[in-house]
Amino acid sequence: MFKGLLLDKADDGATRAVVTDIDEARLPEGEVLVDVACSTVNYKDALAITGKSPVVRKFPMVPGIDFAGTVAGSTDARYKPGDAVLLNGWGVGETHWGGLARKARVKADWLVPMPSGLDARQTMAIGTAGYTAMLCVMALQDRGLTPSSGPVLVTGANGGVGSIAIALLARLGFEVHASTGRLAEAEHLRRLGAREIIDRATLSEPGKPLQKERWAGAVDSVGSHTLANVCASLRYGGTVAACGLAQGLDLPASVAPFILRGVTLAGIDSVYAPQARRLAAWQRLASELPKDLLEANTETIGLEAVIALAPRLLAGQVRGRVVVDVGAS
């Protein structure tokens, strides 16, 4: 038996979340059994736990779209007991039991060896959010963006993706502008590396199809009118890496930025990214993300505190990253 956060459907259709003892025999099939050390709470996890969106495809479900720990048993030759590993994506926490429990059984193909220079807590301080931020940075660089190209905007700046994107871009020498609805956190964003703070209200309402050229690139985790306004405000040949939907799934935009300014909208999928891309992203995170900033951007909680945290995260009341020490009380 082991402790885990289990989601199920109540008689009235509502999602019921409870931390309980789980029999190891109930774990889904997979080649590798992992003793989970740390997980985290992402936006998608919060949606699953609160039932605000149909993230979970089947019940019961252990949420947690990423985790880090140690191999306890393996039938795959690539992994042996004692190996340090991490996992993010692949539908874990949605269709396959995830990381918010002390044990997980998963497919070997989904695992990533622990990057040199990082431990379980640090990888979960980065988590899917930080990994997604790195994929966004890589996409911008793939399109030729350099610090000399001009300033880069990061929306949803106080969130997990946004805060780590700021730190990564600043360390690479970019002038970073940060859009946030929590202007009281401006000093925190400056410590991460932001040079200019923008009130998200200036981007979140309907805007003109083409606007003043302001940014050479952008990382957007918001969607909806914000993403439309960002596209309309990019400089000629600019790229926006889009990875989230905090404002909405819709994109009320026109083709004008794309056909008149050569703007690129690069979609970022962290769930099913190929292994080579994953390994490259995690190795870059290990070497390029300042550990002191990562630590200052992270809080740690126990498994019992996750349920109460989820609605706060959805309400935009959580700054930076949250690591879940699944062994803590």
Side-chain angles (χ1 to χ4, degrees):
M1 303 290 286
F2 61 92
K3 286 285 186 184
L5 174 55
L6 195 64
L7 305 182
D8 213 335
K9 281 288 189 183
D11 292 340
D12 61 1
T15 298
R16 179 177 57 204
V18 61
V19 175
T20 186
D21 290 321
I22 301 173
D23 192 327
E24 185 177 308
R26 297 183 66 186
L27 287 170
E29 292 183 358
E31 298 90 8
V32 185
L33 178 66
V34 178
D35 287 328
V36 179
C38 296
S39 185
T40 181
V41 185
N42 294 283
Y43 192 84
K44 188 180 287 186
D45 297 319
L47 290 172
I49 292 164
T50 60
K52 296 292 185 183
S53 181
V55 170
V56 176
R57 310 296 176 84
K58 59 182 180 181
F59 292 90
M61 176 63 60
V62 173
I65 65 173
D66 45 18
F67 63 79
T70 304
V71 173
S74 174
T75 60
D76 187 287
R78 288 171 290 178
Y79 295 101
K80 64 182 184 300
D83 287 347
V85 294
L86 66 93
L87 183 149
N88 59 279
W90 300 111
V92 169
E94 302 172 70
T95 60
H96 188 100
W97 283 19
L100 286 169
R102 295 187 183 180
K103 291 183 181 293
R105 185 181 288 123
V106 296
K107 292 184 177 181
D109 286 343
W110 297 348
L111 292 169
V112 172
M114 187 70 66
S116 177
L118 293 176
D119 59 24
R121 185 182 182 280
Q122 289 170 326
T123 57
M124 288 300 99
I126 297 168
T128 292
Y131 157 76
T132 303
M134 178 53 84
L135 291 179
C136 289
V137 171
M138 291 165 66
L140 295 181
Q141 292 180 313
D142 288 346
R143 292 288 301 174
L145 194 74
T146 67
S148 63
S149 304
V152 178
L153 175 69
V154 176
T155 67
N158 271 299
V161 173
S163 57
I164 294 182
I166 291 169
L168 288 169
L169 288 164
R171 191 176 189 280
L172 289 167
F174 288 92
E175 177 183 332
V176 184
H177 296 182
S179 167
T180 181
R182 288 180 276 170
L183 296 178
E185 300 282 4
E187 188 54 38
H188 170 68
L189 296 176
R190 290 191 178 95
R191 285 195 297 270
L192 290 174
R195 294 270 296 277
E196 184 175 326
I197 310 300
I198 298 169
D199 189 337
R200 73 179 178 196
T202 63
L203 293 169
S204 60
E205 298 298 325
K208 295 180 180 179
L210 274 182
Q211 301 171 33
K212 179 182 177 180
E213 296 182 50
R214 301 177 67 182
W215 300 292
V219 173
D220 177 68
S221 59
V222 179
S224 192
H225 291 290
T226 296
L227 178 54
N229 286 321
V230 170
C231 290
S233 301
L234 287 185
R235 296 181 181 183
Y236 188 91
T239 297
V240 54
C243 63
L245 45 77
Q247 185 179 2
L249 272 169
D250 59 323
L251 181 57
S254 79
V255 299
F258 309 108
I259 64 174
L260 297 178
R261 291 183 182 164
V263 164
T264 295
L265 175 56
I268 306 300
D269 166 53
S270 65
V271 177
Y272 298 109
Q275 187 76 343
R277 193 74 166 171
R278 288 173 182 272
L279 293 172
W282 278 107
Q283 287 301 331
R284 286 192 59 179
L285 285 162
S287 61
E288 296 178 23
L289 185 61
K291 302 299 190 299
D292 56 337
L293 290 179
L294 180 64
E295 185 65 29
N297 192 50
T298 305
E299 66 172 302
T300 301
I301 64 173
L303 194 59
E304 298 283 353
V306 171
I307 296 172
L309 178 83
R312 290 181 49 229
L313 192 151
L314 294 182
Q317 298 170 357
V318 177
R319 183 179 83 180
R321 300 286 297 138
V322 177
V323 170
V324 181
D325 181 346
V326 297
S329 58

